[in-house]
Amino acid sequence: MTGDLCNFESPRQWRFTWEAQSHIPTLRLFLFDPQTKPLVQCRNLKVNVSLSQSLVMVTWFDDKEVSLRVPIPRVLIDDESPVRFTAFDDHIEVKLVLLLPVGHAIVSGFDSILNFSGDDENLNLDASTPLSVDSDIRNLSSSEGVHFYCQNCEFKLTRSPLRNFSEMPSVNWREVADNWFGACCCSFGGISEKLVTKFTNSYSCMKGMCLVNFATIVVCNEDLVGCNLSDLGGDEFHGVESDLIGDIGFDESTATSVSDPVIDEESKDKNIKDEEFGASIVCKDTDEESNLERLSHLCLESNLAGNEELEQGCCTHHVSEKLLNNEKLIESTKISENQKSFLNGFLGNIFMIRSSNLSKEVEWVEYFCPQCSTLLGAYPCANGSAPVDGGVRFFKCYLSTSLPAGGSKDFFRGYTLEKLFSTQLLDCAKDELSFRTVARDLKTRVPILQVVLTNSNSWSCTGYCSSTTSCMEPAPKLDLQPVIKVLFSECSKYTESEIRTMEDQIKNDLAGEVFMPRCQIEDIVESLVSAKNALPHSCSSLQARTIEDSRFWKNVMPRI
């Protein structure tokens, strides 16, 4: 069979796209060429599958015999099931039956079982490898020192290697403190407010310390080459020195001085519920133990120590003398005026800021590469001019930790703008129970892009077909990558009535809204338009009758 196919002439530029759903044992192949109408032109269509060569070979007659070779991705195909194929007006569709869905645990473990490249480091470059803050901190901390570079021009941004790394606190850290200790001024002696103060100061931006979260890192301006935030953003900032990074005022002597509590069953049940609630939302530090969870245990134990009885009423709690006398915990630490803008605002991850985390007192100023002027991040200013804490928030997708950028030693090589966007989009849909998201310009608040999440459990890969004249060459290795399927539309093309409809959806919690630098949204739009070409027109466009805006287009984006 392959010997005859080798005599066919080379095809035109046909594109292929493989697609599968996580829990459905079917693999679909789309073949399309804008210049060809398969329904009319592809006569005597034949499809042959060679599992030994990991190839699908498609042939037909169109004035002359045409043939295509398509590599099969690494999946478990049922060779006893028939191959189904159909010619449509603008594409050919082939369906293969799988033994296991691509999302099955056995299939997802192939990389650890079969290493086709023979290079363990290349496995880490797999686009399906999850992005992890814990992993980033371990990698950064285990190195002898890390410089950060502009990914575009490879300009070294840091004056000297950074060696201290810590995770940024959770975005809802103040809410968590109130849930643990109560928002009342009398609750545990006002410990919630004291804890918030300590927490703010413990994560102040300091020279030599790099704070890390999912999408960004925070670097002190004193560690950056040619960076003077006073010149870039106004008045000199007033930082707060802190000797507490990730500790929040507790030392070993504090922990050991607390007595074992004696708790009745009712209080015990309440504490267990509190612990379960707190553990699910509190950000973890680099030791994988929640800061606030540790604090809650210590404070609750101190409050209940010595068989003290809890009286009824909000304002009559007895607080342990040891707790109240602990200067490191309850000492009223001052917060600078600039830092106060963060108490009810957003601390670090400025990638896709949600409206609930947007502070009116903070203006985000974009930070560009000193050499090539590429956007690298942003930093917060208060009162229209003064930098808040002297820290620049860099987007990981624009940085590299070694040269060359994207090499095996680059810890941020897996981060792309599309990956970050799709991950945050899934978070928005999960947290806000809305699959429609509007992206606004961070400065002007003008809506630029609307995205509707349609499927978060898809897998796909794409490329160009080859001719069977090159059948002696080995088939390239393909891997299906996890993707999300979305509908998108540029809001700049909306009419006034469509904008009003969109604003009503946001107001009625039918759509979420996020804020991003305008250039990032424009890059996302460009990527969406480009990725739309991975499917034939009939599969990427949507009829007006199925959605209120006929300008929506289907698309796929990489996900974690």
Side-chain angles (χ1 to χ4, degrees):
M1 177 180 65
T2 58
D4 295 335
L5 290 175
C6 285
N7 296 324
F8 296 149
E9 296 184 10
S10 299
R12 290 186 289 267
Q13 288 294 311
W14 280 74
R15 188 165 187 169
F16 71 84
T17 295
W18 291 100
E19 186 176 279
Q21 305 301 314
S22 291
H23 305 294
I24 300 176
T26 301
L27 181 65
R28 294 200 300 172
L29 170 64
F30 298 93
L31 296 170
F32 54 99
D33 171 24
Q35 302 177 16
T36 305
K37 292 187 176 182
L39 185 60
V40 177
Q41 297 175 249
C42 298
R43 300 184 301 273
N44 194 24
L45 180 64
K46 296 180 180 179
V47 176
N48 295 293
V49 177
S50 174
L51 295 181
S52 61
Q53 295 179 292
S54 296
L55 286 173
V56 171
M57 287 163 283
V58 183
T59 63
W60 68 85
F61 286 92
D62 179 13
D63 297 332
K64 55 186 177 182
E65 204 163 31
V66 180
S67 63
L68 303 175
R69 296 172 80 232
V70 182
I72 300 176
R74 287 193 292 176
V75 291
L76 296 178
I77 295 177
D78 184 356
D79 59 353
E80 296 183 357
S81 297
V83 179
R84 293 174 291 171
F85 56 92
T86 307
F88 293 94
D89 186 59
D90 64 346
H91 71 282
I92 298 171
E93 182 176 335
V94 180
K95 290 185 178 180
L96 305 179
V97 178
L98 301 177
L99 292 174
L100 291 172
V102 293
H104 195 279
I106 294 179
V107 179
S108 62
F110 274 173
D111 281 343
S112 60
I113 300 173
L114 301 175
N115 183 2
F116 286 91
S117 67
D119 184 358
D120 291 336
E121 288 186 336
N122 287 339
L123 294 178
N124 296 327
L125 300 177
D126 189 344
S128 64
T129 302
L131 305 179
S132 167
V133 177
D134 289 341
S135 176
D136 287 342
I137 292 179
R138 283 196 302 270
N139 290 333
L140 293 168
S141 300
S142 62
S143 61
E144 297 181 356
V146 177
H147 277 293
F148 293 111
Y149 303 86
C150 170
Q151 193 179 92
N152 183 57
C153 69
E154 298 187 343
F155 176 77
K156 186 165 68 174
L157 299 165
T158 44
R159 298 177 185 271
S160 58
L162 297 178
R163 295 178 174 84
N164 298 314
F165 302 91
S166 179
E167 183 176 354
M168 286 293 291
S170 169
V171 296
N172 55 352
W173 52 282
R174 190 175 193 183
E175 177 186 352
V176 172
D178 288 341
N179 285 331
W180 277 108
F181 304 109
C184 172
C185 62
C186 305
S187 298
F188 290 93
I191 190 174
S192 177
E193 288 301 316
K194 295 180 178 66
L195 185 60
V196 165
T197 300
K198 280 287 187 181
F199 211 46
T200 302
N201 286 329
S202 69
Y203 281 94
S204 297
C205 187
M206 295 177 9
K207 183 178 180 180
M209 170 61 68
C210 177
L211 304 180
V212 184
N213 59 31
F214 175 73
T216 62
I217 63 170
V218 184
V219 181
C220 180
N221 78 107
E222 297 181 32
D223 291 317
L224 298 174
V225 175
C227 176
N228 190 331
L229 298 190
S230 300
D231 295 338
L232 296 175
D235 301 333
E236 183 180 359
F237 76 96
H238 301 282
V240 176
E241 292 294 332
S242 173
D243 59 348
L244 306 171
I245 298 299
D247 194 311
I248 326 214
F250 282 99
D251 55 17
E252 184 177 355
S253 61
T254 307
T256 56
S257 65
V258 180
S259 304
D260 293 330
V262 177
I263 312 173
D264 60 23
E265 289 300 321
E266 182 178 356
S267 299
K268 182 177 180 180
D269 291 340
K270 179 180 184 300
N271 290 338
I272 292 176
K273 292 180 181 179
D274 287 344
E275 290 174 7
E276 292 175 348
F277 176 77
S280 65
I281 56 178
V282 180
C283 170
K284 293 184 178 181
D285 61 17
T286 54
D287 293 329
E288 298 185 355
E289 181 179 3
S290 170
N291 287 329
L292 284 178
E293 190 174 348
R294 291 205 316 273
L295 288 171
S296 66
H297 285 301
L298 290 170
C299 296
L300 288 174
E301 288 173 0
S302 295
N303 184 52
L304 299 171
N307 295 322
E308 293 179 350
E309 296 182 358
L310 295 178
E311 298 181 7
Q312 299 295 323
C314 167
C315 300
T316 57
H317 292 308
H318 287 283
V319 182
S320 169
E321 290 297 327
K322 293 182 179 180
L323 182 64
L324 290 176
N325 292 333
N326 190 319
E327 294 183 358
K328 293 197 70 177
L329 175 65
I330 65 170
E331 180 185 359
S332 180
T333 305
K334 295 181 179 180
I335 298 179
S336 69
E337 290 297 322
N338 290 339
Q339 280 189 309
K340 289 181 180 179
S341 60
F342 268 149
L343 288 181
N344 293 309
F346 205 59
L347 270 176
N349 185 10
I350 62 170
F351 190 86
M352 291 181 68
I353 303 177
R354 302 188 192 186
S355 55
S356 59
N357 294 324
L358 200 64
S359 174
K360 294 181 180 179
E361 301 175 7
V362 174
E363 175 189 359
W364 290 96
V365 181
E366 295 176 349
Y367 185 90
F368 300 92
C369 174
Q371 179 164 293
C372 68
S373 300
T374 298
L375 174 69
L376 298 179
Y379 58 93
C381 287
N383 302 321
S385 60
V388 172
D389 60 1
V392 178
R393 279 70 175 164
F394 289 101
F395 299 108
K396 292 181 181 178
C397 59
Y398 299 146
L399 297 184
S400 62
T401 61
S402 66
L403 298 179
S408 60
K409 296 182 179 180
D410 182 3
F411 300 140
F412 294 160
R413 62 186 177 276
Y415 287 87
T416 65
L417 180 64
E418 293 81 7
K419 236 183 176 184
L420 292 177
F421 182 80
S422 62
T423 304
Q424 298 289 97
L425 200 66
L426 290 173
D427 289 343
C428 289
K430 178 181 178 181
D431 296 344
E432 300 179 8
L433 300 179
S434 172
F435 298 96
R436 186 185 300 264
T437 302
V438 177
R440 297 180 182 269
D441 185 343
L442 183 58
K443 287 187 176 180
T444 65
R445 308 294 195 261
V446 174
I448 301 178
L449 173 67
Q450 186 174 183
V451 178
V452 179
L453 179 64
T454 60
N455 192 322
S456 61
N457 295 305
S458 295
W459 295 72
S460 180
C461 63
T462 187
Y464 286 96
C465 305
S466 60
S467 69
T468 51
T469 56
S470 58
C471 64
M472 298 304 294
E473 300 176 3
K477 301 300 181 182
L478 285 183
D479 287 297
L480 291 173
Q481 304 297 345
V483 298
I484 63 171
K485 301 186 72 173
V486 302
L487 305 175
F488 73 97
S489 180
E490 293 183 70
C491 301
S492 59
K493 301 178 181 179
Y494 281 13
T495 63
E496 291 185 6
S497 61
E498 289 172 331
I499 292 178
R500 285 196 299 270
T501 300
M502 181 187 66
E503 296 290 359
D504 289 340
Q505 291 173 338
I506 296 174
K507 184 177 180 180
N508 296 327
D509 294 329
L510 299 177
E513 59 178 345
V514 295
F515 299 82
M516 303 174 64
R518 188 182 190 94
C519 61
Q520 279 191 319
I521 304 178
E522 293 174 348
D523 287 344
I524 290 294
V525 171
E526 183 178 348
S527 177
L528 288 168
V529 172
S530 175
K532 178 172 62 69
N533 298 327
L535 291 172
H537 180 77
S538 61
C539 298
S540 63
S541 61
L542 200 66
Q543 299 298 322
R545 65 178 180 271
T546 61
I547 199 167
E548 64 273 18
D549 187 349
S550 61
R551 287 191 295 272
F552 273 94
W553 294 87
K554 284 185 179 178
N555 197 347
V556 295
M557 295 193 70
R559 67 173 169 86
I560 301 302

